[in-house]
Amino acid sequence: MIVRAWVGGCLAAGALAAAAAWSTLGAHETRPVHSVCGPDLSRDDVVAAKSKGVAVVEAVENTRYREDGGSAYLTTRVKTLEAFKGRFGDVLHITQGVKNGGTPGRYATEDPDRYAVLEPGRRYVVAVQSGSTTGSAGTEAWAWYAQPAQRGIAGERDHWQQALAGDAEDAETTGCEDVHAG
C-alpha cells in the first residue's frame, strides 16, 4: 500500500513537472495576445453618440509632453471656436495619447487618420471622452478623436449636427482588435 502511494505521488509529480516544462517551452514560441475594444471611431455618428463633448477648436500651444508607464501624452491649450455637444470653456487644455519619443513640434499618433496630433495654429474637430471641458484652472480633457476641421466652421456644424441626430444604432457594439504583446 505504501509503495503504491509512493509510486502514485511520483507519477503525479512527474506529470506536473512535464506540464510545467511544456508550458515554459511553449511560451517562447508564441506571443501573448489580448484584445483592445472600443467604439468604432471611424463613424462620426458613433463618435458623436459616445463622446462627452464635440467641438471645433484652434490649437494655441502644446503645453506639456510626458511619458508614463510606456505611454506618452501631449497636452495642448486650445481655444473653442464652436461646441456641438457638451459645454466647452473659451480656452481649455486637451490631452491626447502620442507616440513615445516626441520632441517639441514633432509628435505622432498611432492612428493619424482618426487621431491627428493637435498642432498650434490649426483648427480641429475634437471629441472628448473624459475630463473637464470647462477650462477651469488645473483641469484638462481627454480627446480620443481629433481631425482637422476641413469643412470650415459652418460645414463642420452641419456635418456634426447630422452625426448627432443620427441613430448610431450599433454605437453600443464595440469593435475589438487582437494585439500581440512582446
Side-chain angles (χ1 to χ4, degrees), residues 2-93:
I2 293 175
V3 172
R4 281 190 215 163
W6 186 79
V7 170
C10 287
L11 288 174
L16 284 173
W22 178 261
S23 166
T24 301
L25 290 174
H28 295 290
E29 296 173 8
T30 62
R31 297 183 308 178
V33 176
H34 65 275
S35 292
V36 176
C37 302
D40 182 359
L41 298 181
S42 68
R43 292 182 41 196
D44 290 346
D45 60 334
V46 174
V47 170
K50 301 302 280 181
S51 297
K52 177 180 180 177
V54 179
V56 172
V57 300
E58 182 175 323
V60 176
E61 172 187 25
N62 296 132
T63 58
R64 181 177 57 169
Y65 169 82
R66 67 183 171 88
E67 292 184 21
D68 183 19
S71 297
Y73 307 94
L74 177 65
T75 301
T76 304
R77 185 168 46 97
V78 301
K79 178 173 60 171
T80 303
L81 302 177
E82 187 165 338
F84 307 128
K85 179 180 181 181
R87 184 175 159 262
F88 282 75
D90 293 337
V91 176
L92 64 140
H93 286 88

